[in-house]
Structures are given as C-alpha cells and as structure tokens.
Amino acid sequence: MSIFEPSEGTLVVVPSLSLPQDELRRIKAARCYEERLLFLLLTLREPGISVVYLSSMPIDQEIVDYYFGFLPDPDDAARRLHLITVNDPDSQPLTRTLLDRPEVIDRVRSVIGDDAWLVPFVMSDLEEQLAASLNVPIYGPAMSLAHYGSKSGSRTIGAEAGVPMARGFGDLYTMAQIEDAVLSLPGERVMVKLNDGYSGLGNAIVRKGDWTRTEFSAGADETWTGFAAKLAERGGVVEEFIEHRPLYCPSALARITPGGHYDVVATHDQVLDGPVYQGCTFPARPEYRQEVAASATKIAKLLAERGVVGLFGMDFFAMKTDAGYAALLCEVNLRIGGTTHPFGAALLTTDAVYDPATGLLMSGGRPKYYTATDNCSAGCLRGRTPGQVVRTVERLGLGFDGRRRTGNVLHLLGAVPEHGKLGFTTIGDSPEEAEELHRITRRALCG
C-alpha cells in the first residue's frame, strides 16, 4: 500500500500538527498547514478509493472544487470524499481535539469500511490512540520507533547505515554535556539542535568563547534559560557548523510500505531562509543527486528492517570537495515533510513515474521538473477568497495545462483570506521552464 498509488480502500487523513506547540506558534498561518495533505484528494481519480479528511476548521468548498478540477469525474469523487471538521480554530493539535470528541470519532467510524488506513501528517501518541479507537492500521511509524526520527536517532541510524555525517554528539540533556561537546568540535561556531525540532526551529548557533552571541532560530525572544529547559526535557545534539560555501541543502523522500518494501521516490534541493524551509526544486542537482539517493536508500533499508512504515524525509548538506561532491546526512524526519505535497501534486497530476536510475520523474516519455514554494505572501492577497486567486491564476494563463501536463498546482489556499499567503508547485518540461514560470507566477501573485 502506498498513498501515492492506492487502488482501493479508505484513506483517513489526519493532518494534525502534533508537534511541539512552542515552535509551531512561530509559523505564520500554522493551522492552515493542515491543508498540505489536500493533494491526497487527487487519489480519488481511482474509483476504488475513498478519502476521509479531518480538519480543525471547515475547508472552503472552492478549495475542494479546485482539486476536483484535476479529476476525470468530479461528481463521483465527491461521493467518495468525506470532510469532517471539529470546527475549532484553536484545536492544536487537531488529534487531541478529535480524541475529546467521541461524536466525531463515531462519524468517522460510520464512513470507513474494513479496508482503511490512517494517514497522519506526523506521528505521536495521539495518532496511535486515534487509530486504536477507530481500529485501523497506521501508514506511519510506530511510536516505539520514533527515536529514529529525532536528531539523536538520526545520528544513530546514519552511523549504522555507514553514511557520511557532520561530526557531532547525540543524546545530550545537560548544559555540562552541551559545553563539553561544543569544545570537542572544530571551528569557531557549532550547531545545537533540539531532538524534536522541525522546519529549522529548535536550532541554535553557538560561538565558542562568547555564548551571549548565540543565534537562536526561534527568534530573539529565545534565551539559554528557556533553551536549556527544552534540552533537559527533550534532549538534543551538538554538531560541527559547516562553514563551506557554497553549501547546498538537498533532501530525499522515501517510503516504506506495510509489506516492508522500501524505496527512495524523489530527491530535492531545499530552498531555505536561514534554517527555515521555504520551498524546493525537483530533482536535486545532478552533481550529488545519486550520492544523496544512495545514502537515503541505505537508511531506508535499515528502517524497513526495524519495522518503520510510511513516508519520511532525510535532509543532507552537499558541498564540492577536491574529490567531487560530498553529501552529509543532516537528519531523518519520520513524517510527511515540506517536499511531500509538491511531489504528490506533481506525481498525481502528470501520471509520472520515478526513475531511480536517473532520479527523474517520467511522464509520457519525457522528464518533468518542478519548483515549489510554501510561502508566497502579499498584502494585496489578504481578504481575497481562494476562488478569486484560482480564477486569477487561470485568467493569466498560469494554471495547469492538462494536455502538456505542465503549469501550477496551488496549495495552502485556506491561508489567503486572513494571511495573504499561499503555496504552489510549478511543473515544467525542463528546470528552466519550471523556474521561469514559477518566477512569473510569484510576481503576478505576490508582486
């Protein structure tokens, strides 16, 4: 079973942001990130698939209609889609609210059959409780294996897989341990990361000899007192800060099916603002694409042997050396990440197939490329409806061309009215075409 290629059954999609809430509050329009998994509505093109999509607030019908526009039979798809909301804008995380609403869980039970899977955005004890209450299996890693998705666990599994990594130390909980590790590493700066940090949040860059100049990715209101308390509770790692420039930040997307089959399905180059994810391009640069995929495959094999199931990402650093390009494992994220929805949108709209030999998506005998953003923001968008934005994109000729299988696929449309923010994936027949259309679209929407 793969959520990219389901043939029958029900996907119970739980896009709950079951993550540390202190960092989550720093992300603009965070609740709207529940819409990242709406690309799974495109799986309704298969007549044997049903989708139950859970959300904190009702999803605008114009957004649903937009995704239905990619399907061959929207009316039939509508009969197989069940949108269920707790109607609570403050329900963070969503799964906790669901567990407190037995009437909502009863409604979910009433629309799922025997062949159903829970598809979580991220796994926590809450998602395991929800799956147990619904008596359905989870397309995600068991919490007993969650350590492998932490920063310390990433170092453990990377070492076991024999993949290159930056020098560092894991499983650190006290400031004494942190200080010893900092002094043990080369360079004037080192990186300290919380075990369960995400989107670049939970990181700190320490300058040796002057800890008062520490740069916290969470912002100026973070202090060592607060950061040390989080370390004591959640643990962390200390790693060398890679000064090499230019420094690239590729990632790999992998899946492990319930039967234990594993494969790498994509590589990307991430677009970052400091440490914070903004978007990506597919595929990763050819200079290090195969090295990233090879390391990711070794890690996926080990995780499959341990019993991990689901989609997950792996982040790397890549740099040019005298011997060629080197790729160093940065971390393993045992959850759906920022590159998953662009990949899913591109795959399901173009009917493409990933070719592991070249690292390309092939559709109709030709490769497809894309550039994606999660953060197209403009004051002029605030107050507009999702439908207005969709119609603007179509009127300007920037929508998706079903014949050529190129163009834009929009997401995060629910953030438009209040926050003036959305995302989109731009698909082209060459990297240059995808990048140019992406620039034109961003300029048209965001100025």
Side-chain angles (χ1 to χ4, degrees), residues 282-283 368-371 428-437:
F282 172 91
K368 295 294 180 181
Y369 304 83
Y370 57 83
T371 299
D429 287 331
S430 69
E432 295 78 17
E433 180 185 14
E435 185 61 34
E436 178 62 17
L437 180 57

Side-chain angles (χ1 to χ4, degrees), residues 14-342:
V14 186
S16 176
L17 305 179
S18 302
L19 297 161
Q21 299 297 294
D22 49 354
E23 273 82 29
L24 189 65
R25 286 189 290 269
R26 304 177 190 274
I27 298 177
K28 182 180 180 181
R31 183 183 58 76
C32 296
Y33 279 69
E34 290 180 5
E35 294 184 12
R36 268 181 165 182
L37 299 191
L38 281 174
F39 77 87
L40 289 173
L41 270 59
L42 301 177
T43 64
L44 291 167
R45 64 183 183 171
E46 296 294 334
I49 292 295
S50 296
V51 173
V52 178
Y53 202 99
L54 303 168
S55 63
S56 298
M57 290 293 289
I59 297 171
D60 193 310
Q61 187 59 45
E62 289 183 322
I63 300 175
V64 177
D65 291 341
Y66 171 69
Y67 285 99
F68 280 173
F70 291 93
L71 303 179
D73 190 344
D75 291 337
D76 180 56
R79 286 189 285 271
R80 292 179 283 112
L81 172 63
H82 306 276
L83 299 172
I84 298 178
T85 179
V86 297
N87 204 25
D88 182 353
D90 298 320
S91 62
Q92 292 298 337
L94 166 63
T95 310
R96 177 175 293 138
T97 305
L98 286 166
L99 292 169
D100 290 337
R101 302 279 186 88
E103 73 282 3
V104 178
I105 294 178
D106 286 343
R107 185 180 171 196
V108 175
R109 286 197 194 100
S110 71
V111 295
I112 61 175
D114 295 331
D115 188 11
W117 286 84
L118 190 79
V119 181
F121 173 75
V122 61
M123 278 297 297
S124 74
D125 292 335
L126 299 173
E127 281 68 38
E128 286 197 332
Q129 292 175 44
L130 179 61
S133 67
L134 293 172
N135 194 29
V136 297
I138 305 173
Y139 191 71
M143 285 306 295
S144 59
L145 303 170
H147 175 70
Y148 294 123
S150 70
K151 302 300 185 291
S152 295
S154 297
R155 295 195 62 83
T156 299
I157 202 71
E160 291 185 36
V163 303
M165 292 184 292
R167 286 169 288 189
F169 305 89
D171 292 314
L172 309 178
Y173 288 85
T174 69
M175 285 305 299
Q177 291 174 325
I178 297 294
E179 290 168 1
D180 286 345
V182 167
L183 293 175
S184 299
L185 291 173
E188 294 301 314
R189 297 188 291 178
V190 299
M191 182 74 77
V192 183
K193 303 177 186 177
L194 296 176
N195 265 339
D196 56 0
Y198 55 92
S199 294
L201 300 171
N203 294 354
I205 300 174
V206 175
R207 296 177 184 271
K208 291 183 179 179
D210 190 357
W211 287 51
T212 63
R213 297 173 63 195
T214 297
E215 301 171 39
F216 293 103
S217 62
D221 58 337
E222 182 67 276
T223 66
W224 268 113
T225 299
F227 198 79
K230 296 172 187 176
L231 276 167
E233 179 185 358
R234 289 136 63 175
V237 302
V238 173
E239 296 175 337
E240 64 177 316
F241 185 89
I242 300 176
E243 303 281 2
H244 192 287
R245 297 295 182 272
L247 183 66
Y248 304 97
C249 299
S251 67
L253 183 64
R255 65 181 168 191
I256 302 174
T257 67
H261 174 76
Y262 63 91
D263 55 359
V264 172
V265 297
T267 64
H268 296 87
D269 276 315
Q270 298 181 89
V271 179
L272 305 176
D273 180 8
V276 180
Y277 176 85
Q278 299 291 314
C280 64
T281 60
F282 172 91
R285 291 166 63 100
E287 293 89 341
Y288 45 75
R289 184 188 309 160
Q290 292 301 325
E291 184 174 355
V292 167
S295 289
T297 300
K298 292 178 182 178
I299 294 168
K301 179 178 185 294
L302 270 183
L303 292 176
E305 291 171 353
R306 306 287 164 86
V308 169
V309 170
L311 290 163
F312 63 99
M314 291 157 275
D315 294 340
F316 293 82
F317 294 121
M319 67 201 81
K320 189 175 183 179
T321 69
D322 292 340
Y325 278 82
L328 305 179
L329 175 67
C330 177
E331 60 191 46
V332 177
N333 297 303
L334 283 187
R335 58 178 172 80
I336 289 175
T339 63
T340 308
H341 54 285

